[in-house]
């Protein structure tokens, strides 16, 4: 069984890193967050009365 040359290990490493980065970049830009549209009028503010 022949040994793998060092240049092939580097090439294989570069391919795996490129695949990993491409996968993460695609997931980052494809994700669409759900934004709730609420106005300030619909929010209920709760005021606390400190008694001390």
């Amino acid at each position: 069984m022949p040994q793998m040359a060092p240049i092939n290990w580097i090439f294989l490493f570069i391919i795996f890193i490129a695949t990993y980065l491409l996968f993460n970049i695609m997931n980052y830009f494809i994700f669409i967050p759900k934004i709730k549209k609420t106005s300030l009028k619909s929010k209920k503010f709760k005021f606390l009365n400190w008694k001390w």
Side-chain angles (χ1 to χ4, degrees):
M1 184 171 176
Q3 291 183 350
M4 196 169 178
I7 192 73
N8 287 342
W9 284 112
I10 294 171
F11 182 67
L12 190 64
F13 178 73
I14 291 171
I15 293 295
F16 279 121
I17 292 298
T19 306
Y20 177 75
L21 290 175
L22 185 67
F23 180 76
N24 285 327
I25 290 169
M26 286 177 63
N27 279 336
Y28 179 79
F29 286 109
I30 288 175
F31 179 71
I32 301 172
K34 294 181 181 177
I35 300 172
K36 291 182 180 179
K37 295 182 179 179
T38 57
S39 64
L40 292 174
K41 293 180 181 178
S42 65
K43 290 184 180 178
K44 294 181 180 178
F45 295 102
K46 191 174 187 180
F47 295 104
L48 297 174
N49 292 326
W50 296 97
K51 299 179 180 179
W52 46 286

